[in-house]
Amino acid sequence: MVGLKLNDTGERVKYLQELLTFAGFPPGAIDGVYGARTADAVLDCRRSEGSNATSGNSITGAAAKQILTAFVRRVPR
């Protein structure tokens, strides 16, 4: 997931979109396209984890950690 950015496509983007959806931040369609709605979902998810990020246009290590943390919080125990 690290290294993904706006306009990327493919299975890695689908994985990101699935994580966001299950974490409660649906990016719209799970279509493998990192578009504006996926970027918005990334930003919303990161902010929910306390980030001061201003854009969801790319996935850094910090972003990946925040997304995975949000996902884990939603997994039933």
Side-chain angles (χ1 to χ4, degrees):
M1 164 172 38
V2 173
L4 289 174
K5 62 187 180 310
L6 194 62
N7 299 318
D8 281 351
T9 60
E11 291 300 313
R12 292 178 60 218
V13 176
K14 275 181 139 174
Y15 173 70
L16 169 63
Q17 291 171 327
E18 289 170 348
L19 284 174
L20 289 166
T21 298
F22 291 124
F25 304 92
I30 297 176
D31 58 4
V33 177
Y34 196 139
R37 291 185 72 183
T38 298
D40 289 344
V42 167
L43 183 59
D44 290 345
C45 182
R46 293 192 66 196
R47 285 186 175 161
S48 79
E49 292 300 316
S51 175
N52 292 324
T54 59
S55 169
N57 291 347
S58 64
I59 305 297
T60 62
K65 180 181 177 187
Q66 291 161 343
I67 293 165
L68 289 171
T69 299
F71 171 78
V72 169
R73 288 184 200 281
R74 295 290 298 257
V75 173
R77 295 176 197 242

